[in-house]
Amino acid sequence: MDDLFPETRERLSLSSGAVLLGGFAQAEAQALLHAVELITQQAPFRHYRVVGGGRMAAAMTACGEYGWVSDEQGYRYVRTDPLTGRPWPALPSLFLALAGRAAQAAGYAGFVPQCGLINRYAPGAGMGPHQDRDEHTMEAPVVSVSLGLSALFQWGGARRQDACRKVPLHHGDVVVWGGPSRSHFHGVLPVRSAQSGTGLGCRYNLTFRVVD
Ligand code: MD3
Ligand code: FE
């Protein structure tokens, strides 16, 4: 999955409000990963249970005013990390600034996230098609940043049965999901190793969200 023509990926409108900013976070990638490392010292990665049994293939943690969790009460945003009983670590200013700049570049001014959700995919891990609708407001876009191993993102439509398009996401890519795209189905095919030249053994995805 080498990126032979990165210039053609610089800015790509996926559909109805979603904009791929290829390599937008590349220059900051190491700093972002360092910030992730610091966050996970306070709020370690964990595998949540999924409704219906089993556990999520991606390990997760969060920072900011809210974190997303899955427990016996279902999927929801909470202010306290259930693993530690402490508030989630603060959103680093690096995250806030990047999310704001990316949203701005995609046409969404004044984006101030309340949650930075961090997903870690070991080789073989993916995420089945789903909608993100646990936030109490769907007005704001979601900003996502891909780091480490590449992945094939599955981009669907407003209905589960709508056709999916496969979009490769590479180290440093940022996607802003606003407007109608905000409620579209999406997923991640199982990540394969040996897809990246970053030297990282996993894929990391940061998503920045407004919750309420
Ligand atoms: C489109 N994460 O955390 S990021 C998730 O790569 C999630 O870890 C995937 O789906 C990942 O919920 C995909 C891209 C993404 C994130 C949120 C969205 C696309 C989205 C919300 C609405 C529409
Ligand atoms: Fe999602």
Side-chain angles (χ1 to χ4, degrees):
M1 263 207 226
D2 277 344
D3 220 358
L4 291 175
F5 306 108
E7 65 277 11
T8 67
R9 302 187 60 254
E10 210 167 280
R11 186 195 175 92
L12 176 66
S13 274
L14 287 177
S15 69
S16 43
V19 182
L20 167 60
L21 303 168
F24 193 87
Q26 201 122 47
E28 301 158 71
Q30 289 312 316
L32 294 168
L33 287 162
H34 179 66
V36 167
E37 176 65 31
L38 295 181
I39 288 164
T40 59
Q41 286 170 11
Q42 306 298 313
F45 279 115
R46 77 290 307 265
H47 291 271
Y48 289 118
R49 306 214 154 263
V50 289
V51 171
R55 57 170 226 169
M56 284 194 177
M60 294 185 176
T61 187
C63 58
E65 188 182 341
Y66 288 104
W68 184 90
V69 302
S70 166
D71 61 15
E72 44 290 322
Q73 293 171 65
Y75 302 144
R76 61 209 177 95
Y77 284 90
V78 296
R79 290 178 181 271
T80 303
D81 179 355
L83 196 64
T84 65
R86 295 191 301 261
W88 299 98
L91 261 166
S93 49
L94 181 67
F95 287 9
L96 278 171
L98 172 63
R101 271 195 293 118
Q104 179 80 253
Y108 302 95
F111 180 69
V112 183
Q114 295 172 293
C115 170
L117 187 60
I118 306 172
N119 297 335
R120 184 188 65 194
Y121 299 81
M127 190 178 281
H130 65 279
Q131 291 170 299
D132 287 25
R133 47 181 191 189
D134 299 320
E135 299 77 20
H136 303 296
T137 169
M138 301 283 273
E139 291 284 299
V142 171
V143 174
S144 74
V145 181
S146 291
L147 297 167
L149 296 178
S150 296
L152 273 180
F153 179 71
Q154 284 183 297
W155 180 228
R159 297 164 304 173
R160 184 176 288 277
Q161 65 269 26
D162 288 345
C164 277
R165 172 178 165 191
K166 290 182 180 65
V167 181
L169 292 180
H170 303 293
H171 183 68
D173 284 353
V174 176
V175 192
V176 181
W177 315 87
S181 76
R182 177 67 181 77
S183 55
H184 281 205
F185 280 86
H186 58 277
V188 180
L189 289 178
V191 169
R192 303 188 317 168
S193 51
Q195 281 180 326
S196 143
T198 63
L200 292 166
C202 292
R203 171 173 188 261
Y204 297 86
N205 186 263
L206 319 180
T207 50
F208 300 107
R209 299 148 185 271
V210 174
V211 175
D212 62 15

